[in-house]
Amino acid sequence: MSEPGAVEPNTSEPGAGAEAPAEVAAEARHRPVLVVDYGAQYAQLIARRVREADAYSEVVPASMPLEQMLAKDPAAVILSGGPASVYAEGAPPADPALFEAGVPVLGICYGFQAMADALGGDVARTGLREYGGTLVELAEGGSTILHGQPSSQNVWMSHGDAVRSAPEGFRVTASSPGAPVAAFEDDERRLYGVQWHPEVAHSTFGQKVLENFLRRGAAVPADWTTGNVIAEQVERVRAQVGGDRVVCGLSGGVDSAVAAALVQRAVGDQLTCVFVDHGLLRAGEAEQVERDFVEATGVDLVVVDAVEAFMAALAGVTDPEAKRKAIGAEFIRAFEGAARELVAGAADDAGGEVRFLVQGTLYPDVVESGGGTGAAVIKSHHNVGGLPDDLAFELVEPLRALFKDEVRAVGAELGLPEAIVWRQPFPGPGLGIRIVGEVTRERLETLRAADAIVREELTAAGLDRSIWQCPVVLLADVRSVGVQGDGRSYGHPVVLRPVSSEDAMTADWTRLPHDLLARISTRVTNEVDGVNRVVLDVTSKPPGTIEWE
């Protein structure tokens, strides 16, 4: 998604896909481009690339029956890659009826092979595997999806099988040493396919391939823009809320701030924001919520001091999921207490019933929490899986269909301060899940001090926007021997987790300059009592998640 007339580059690498909520496309009023997930590492990335081309996309599982896919009235369908071989037992097939439905289809890698197999082409293991950067040669005679590209180009391959002959009616438009049919197309039926991964940055003209498919092959309009999203969500929120009152929890992060600003744009003073001071934020963040957000929006803000209640709820709790559930439940209890006061006030001034709770749920939250057919629960999100069954509010989730960079674009368009719009992602449960072990006041202060140093040094180095986030983790149940002040110490390690990503579905660890790491280590061990070791987490996602808990 971009500002009208602009396309913003993006290098996200999302992970496993899930079915998007059925109501998302209807609410957005855009015919979706469906990305059919065949178990690909990059299914979410394809969806992101489609949105970069200003078209709305949803990810659906390959197990979804064709009639359900077509019921979504897709503008186009993209078949993702996947780890299977089309001729192997149990391999997910492509329904041949899809290619007769009149919907433009693009097959990528496994999706390309599944399309070829379903339509009578020849797919086999040739013995010439191609992994990584590969040179492909375009055929003469022009091409719809390869239009405007050089005859030789570097692409990213990942296959052991290959299409040896194209189905009847298709024209071969590219080849490589290991794939005699590396791309084909049938313009009459608007069916296209490539063996390589155009969605990854290593495919030099990959985004052009996708844009050619969307514009030239499928005639999908470029109407997924920031302005349109704001207008549509404002209309949707007004229709959902009517004349009733809305409460929104400000967590200190960009998601809740943008969700609140968007809802306020829709319903004005029907919205009251509640900031629950649970004692789990980083240094200075509580003050920033109370000062900067209110100043920027003029929103009605209620502050609830719930530190004692949260500390009591977390006493003795060490299991990560139990922490998330405890924090989520306590968060809602604090809301309910504030809401009871709002209800009483609404009754006095006849201002409507307090029925709705705004949440900054994003699309990756829905996916990671198992929000759809075929999605595994990686961890319950505070915005999705951590809510109690007896929730007393109806949810308003204006960001549910968006990725993080889209949320930032919406926030900037709504006029929120840069300090809020570009704040690094921060988990709803706060520092409670960045302490491995029991959460105590002393441990929170230790982690807050170490985190403040890391953020200060990253800002001084000009790296705030070039990394996705840098969680600082306190291994509270681990101690290591050190030497401090000419004597033996027995302190805790602190873990730095700098990562590069764009929407958190996949991530790689960020290669920070060595001199910066040295400064951080020296300052943390010198200035933070009880910490005598700083270590660097160099694990990608997958296999590791970004947060440790």
Side-chain angles (χ1 to χ4, degrees), residues 482-491 524-526 528 530-533:
V483 179
Q484 291 176 300
D486 295 326
R488 181 181 184 274
S489 68
Y490 195 48
V524 169
T525 54
N526 284 351
V528 182
V531 174
N532 66 353
R533 195 177 298 270

Side-chain angles (χ1 to χ4, degrees), residues 145-468:
I145 63 173
L146 303 178
H147 175 76
Q149 300 171 42
S151 58
S152 295
Q153 60 180 272
N154 287 309
V155 301
W156 189 259
M157 291 280 200
S158 181
H159 70 98
D161 300 337
V163 178
R164 293 193 296 193
S165 63
E168 184 178 351
F170 282 80
R171 184 167 59 89
V172 177
T173 55
S175 61
S176 71
V181 181
F184 59 39
E185 57 190 60
D186 181 343
D187 275 319
E188 183 175 345
R189 289 186 289 176
R190 298 190 294 175
L191 303 178
Y192 309 89
V194 293
Q195 179 60 67
W196 64 90
H197 287 274
E199 71 274 19
V200 303
H202 304 291
S203 291
T204 310
F205 294 91
Q207 185 65 15
K208 185 66 174 177
V209 170
L210 293 173
E211 290 176 0
N212 280 342
F213 168 67
L214 294 170
R215 302 284 115 77
R216 300 172 62 86
V220 177
D223 59 0
W224 180 251
T225 64
T226 302
N228 286 346
V229 168
I230 292 174
E232 290 161 1
Q233 287 301 320
V234 163
E235 182 180 344
R236 171 192 168 276
V237 170
R238 285 174 180 164
Q240 180 183 6
V241 171
D244 288 315
R245 300 279 298 279
V246 189
V247 63
C248 175
L250 289 178
S251 67
V254 61
D255 302 337
S256 65
V258 173
L262 190 51
V263 172
Q264 190 192 38
R265 172 75 62 92
V267 299
D269 59 9
Q270 291 171 239
L271 171 69
T272 300
C273 288
V274 176
F275 172 58
V276 177
D277 186 358
H278 47 34
L280 303 175
L281 290 180
R282 295 174 290 193
E285 288 187 328
E287 294 78 10
Q288 189 176 58
V289 172
E290 295 183 52
R291 182 188 64 243
D292 295 349
F293 184 77
V294 173
E295 183 177 315
T297 63
V299 75
D300 180 22
L301 179 66
V302 174
V303 179
V304 178
D305 184 351
V307 175
E308 293 294 339
F310 275 84
M311 291 298 99
L314 290 169
V317 179
T318 59
D319 177 75
E321 277 295 285
K323 284 185 191 178
R324 288 178 177 271
K325 297 290 185 181
I327 292 169
E330 201 59 48
F331 209 73
I332 292 300
R333 298 297 173 246
F335 271 124
E336 289 176 333
R340 279 192 291 271
E341 296 183 14
L342 292 173
V343 167
D348 291 340
D349 62 16
E353 182 183 355
V354 182
R355 289 180 50 205
F356 297 96
L357 169 65
V358 179
Q359 287 216 136
T361 308
L362 306 190
Y363 193 48
D365 297 339
V366 176
V367 172
E368 286 206 339
S369 297
T373 304
V377 176
I378 299 173
K379 58 187 176 185
S380 64
H381 277 260
H382 178 65
N383 283 345
V384 181
L387 299 177
D389 294 333
D390 59 343
L391 180 65
F393 307 105
E394 295 178 39
L395 293 182
V396 178
E397 298 177 302
L399 310 179
R400 187 181 178 93
L402 303 183
F403 290 92
K404 177 71 77 172
D405 62 317
E406 296 175 311
V407 172
R408 295 193 197 279
V410 168
E413 179 75 7
L414 291 170
L416 293 182
E418 280 197 10
I420 291 177
V421 171
W422 290 100
R423 175 176 289 166
Q424 291 184 0
F426 189 61
L431 297 180
I433 59 166
R434 291 185 177 174
I435 295 175
V436 178
E438 183 183 5
V439 178
T440 66
R441 290 177 183 272
E442 181 182 5
R443 290 173 173 181
L444 282 168
E445 289 308 313
T446 297
L447 179 54
R448 241 189 295 271
D451 177 86
I453 291 171
V454 174
R455 288 192 291 142
E456 182 181 319
E457 289 294 339
L458 290 174
T459 298
L463 296 175
D464 284 341
R465 293 198 188 184
S466 61
I467 66 173
W468 173 255

Side-chain angles (χ1 to χ4, degrees), residues 37-78:
D37 181 11
Y38 282 100
Q41 178 183 358
Y42 298 127
Q44 288 288 333
L45 180 54
I46 297 170
R48 282 295 308 114
R49 295 297 191 221
V50 170
R51 294 196 188 185
E52 286 175 29
D54 297 336
Y56 177 68
S57 61
E58 292 183 20
V59 180
V60 299
S63 59
M64 176 180 282
L66 178 59
E67 57 269 22
Q68 290 185 25
M69 289 187 196
L70 296 180
K72 291 176 172 285
D73 189 26
V77 172
I78 299 178

